Amino acid sequence: LDVAASTTTNNTVVNGAGSINDFLQFNIQNTSTGTHAQSGYAATADNGTATTGFAWVGINNSTFNFPTAYNVGGANDVSYVGSGQDMYIANANNTKSIIFSTGKVATPYFDERMRMTNSGFLGIGTTSPNAKLDLTGIKSTGSGTGTGANNDAASQAIIPSGQNGTSRFNDWPNGWGGGLSVYDVCGAGTFFNSYITRSDIRLKKDINSMSDQITTNLLKLRPVTYLMKEQIKESEGLQYGFIAQEVKVLFPSIVTESSDPNGTIGMNYQALIAPAIYVIQQQQVKIEKLQSEIELVKTQNDNLQKVMIEIEKLKTQLKSLQANSK
């Protein structure tokens, strides 16, 4: 059927209407068993061709085996292909969502997997996201301790990204089934039960013991109290720490400049643990040495006291002898 519409104000070329308690649809089927065979619907722009300026939605036939730049997928795969400018998927209802579902063998035959709400919140694992990205109870294999909600397994969302877009997947522990892998994470606060830093000797080189210069530099640090200029719940109230610019003079390797336009700098507070322990160890050595010297002096003083007592005894005996000799 080839319909050539005239230039009228009517924009409906084919109209189908009916009243039936079952499917009312426009159906096409290509019964060919050829490797190029497909069935579908196509729309072409006024300046479009078979390779540009068109939109296609269709299904590949059971023996399809002809993937090209404009034919995607394999046998029986459903595809939506657009070869124009930007592609829009929109819901014109100003209160409803866009929902993505996948099928299953039992009824209901579809499970919701992702939802974009009218307010711009994207939820995965939740039908009521309340943030720009809300991932709840995402779990593939294994078990999790939960995130606080009833029967809610720990999130295993994976974001494998790195500097300049390179993957950092190989930096994960062997056999790790989920987690978060990013090059940099910035936020107002971090809440966790434990923080583990890799410290395996197999990952390190040029290992050296610390020197006394560490003690000198550490004692020069200026601990301060301060208030954050931007008072939010996670960082409100009196804070304790250091000034990164001052620390950089003494420990430049633990101070890092961020990539934001202002070049804000931060510091690795954890890196100060080892120098602090080193200083404590050195102070403990000095304390033990002083204790030994004190014990020695105490022993000498005790011996001296004993000698003085003996001298007093001798003096008394001498006076007695002198008295008897008279």
Side-chain angles (χ1 to χ4, degrees):
L1 175 63
D2 191 344
V3 179
S6 61
T7 55
T8 68
T9 58
N10 188 346
N11 59 12
T12 301
V13 177
V14 178
N15 183 67
S19 178
I20 182 174
N21 188 23
D22 207 331
F23 293 106
L24 179 62
Q25 63 185 20
F26 182 65
N27 183 71
I28 61 172
Q29 182 180 27
N30 183 354
T31 59
S32 171
T33 58
T35 57
H36 296 196
Q38 299 171 297
S39 299
Y41 303 86
T44 307
D46 65 294
N47 61 343
T49 67
T51 59
T52 185
F54 72 88
W56 155 273
V57 55
I59 186 169
N60 299 333
N61 282 12
S62 60
T63 54
F64 180 85
N65 186 22
F66 187 61
T68 67
Y70 304 102
N71 292 329
V72 295
N76 293 321
D77 285 341
V78 177
S79 62
Y80 179 86
V81 179
S83 178
Q85 299 298 317
D86 294 333
M87 180 182 292
Y88 289 84
I89 299 176
N91 185 346
N93 190 305
N94 61 9
T95 62
K96 297 301 182 180
S97 305
I98 296 175
I99 300 172
F100 298 84
S101 300
T102 57
K104 62 179 184 179
V105 295
T107 182
Y109 295 107
F110 300 98
D111 277 340
E112 178 177 334
R113 300 304 185 187
M114 185 169 65
R115 173 183 295 241
M116 170 69 77
T117 67
N118 181 266
S119 58
F121 293 164
L122 178 64
I124 301 177
T126 175
T127 59
S128 56
N130 56 14
K132 289 296 183 182
L133 177 60
D134 191 342
L135 293 86
T136 304
I138 307 303
K139 186 170 72 71
S140 55
T141 59
S143 60
T145 57
T147 59
N150 293 336
N151 301 319
D152 189 18
S155 173
Q156 291 187 0
I158 299 173
I159 307 178
S161 60
Q163 188 179 25
N164 298 326
T166 59
S167 175
R168 297 177 67 84
F169 180 83
N170 291 331
D171 191 44
W172 295 8
N174 185 32
W176 185 248
L180 179 66
S181 176
V182 297
Y183 182 73
D184 193 11
V185 176
C186 297
T190 303
F191 297 86
F192 49 82
N193 292 328
S194 63
Y195 185 84
I196 300 172
T197 301
R198 292 199 183 126
S199 191
D200 195 313
I201 192 172
R202 294 170 297 179
L203 304 175
K204 303 176 182 181
K205 65 178 182 178
D206 300 334
I207 301 173
N208 295 294
S209 298
M210 294 186 182
S211 67
D212 290 340
Q213 185 61 42
I214 292 292
T215 302
T216 302
N217 289 347
L218 194 70
L219 295 177
K220 288 181 180 180
L221 289 177
R222 181 172 71 106
V224 297
T225 61
Y226 58 91
L227 296 174
M228 297 299 294
K229 291 182 178 180
E230 182 180 0
Q231 287 288 294
I232 60 176
K233 185 176 182 180
E234 290 78 8
S235 60
E236 64 184 3
L238 191 65
Q239 303 293 312
Y240 305 86
F242 300 95
I243 304 301
Q245 285 83 350
E246 297 176 1
V247 175
K248 187 176 183 179
V249 177
L250 301 168
F251 296 94
S253 63
I254 70 172
V255 176
T256 305
E257 181 177 332
S258 69
S259 58
D260 66 61
N262 296 323
T264 307
I265 63 175
M267 57 174 288
N268 179 8
Y269 275 82
Q270 183 177 268
L272 291 176
I273 295 177
I277 292 177
Y278 173 79
V279 171
I280 292 172
Q281 290 174 336
Q282 299 308 304
Q283 295 296 326
Q284 184 64 28
V285 171
K286 292 179 180 180
I287 290 172
E288 291 176 356
K289 182 179 179 181
L290 289 173
Q291 287 178 333
S292 297
E293 293 175 351
I294 291 172
E295 290 297 326
L296 178 60
V297 171
K298 183 179 179 181
T299 300
Q300 292 174 342
N301 183 62
D302 290 342
N303 292 335
L304 181 59
Q305 290 294 328
K306 292 178 181 179
V307 171
M308 293 301 296
I309 292 173
E310 292 298 323
I311 290 175
E312 290 300 323
K313 288 181 179 180
L314 290 173
K315 286 182 177 180
T316 301
Q317 292 175 357
L318 180 59
K319 287 180 180 181
S320 177
L321 290 172
Q322 289 174 344
N324 291 333
S325 63
K326 292 179 179 181

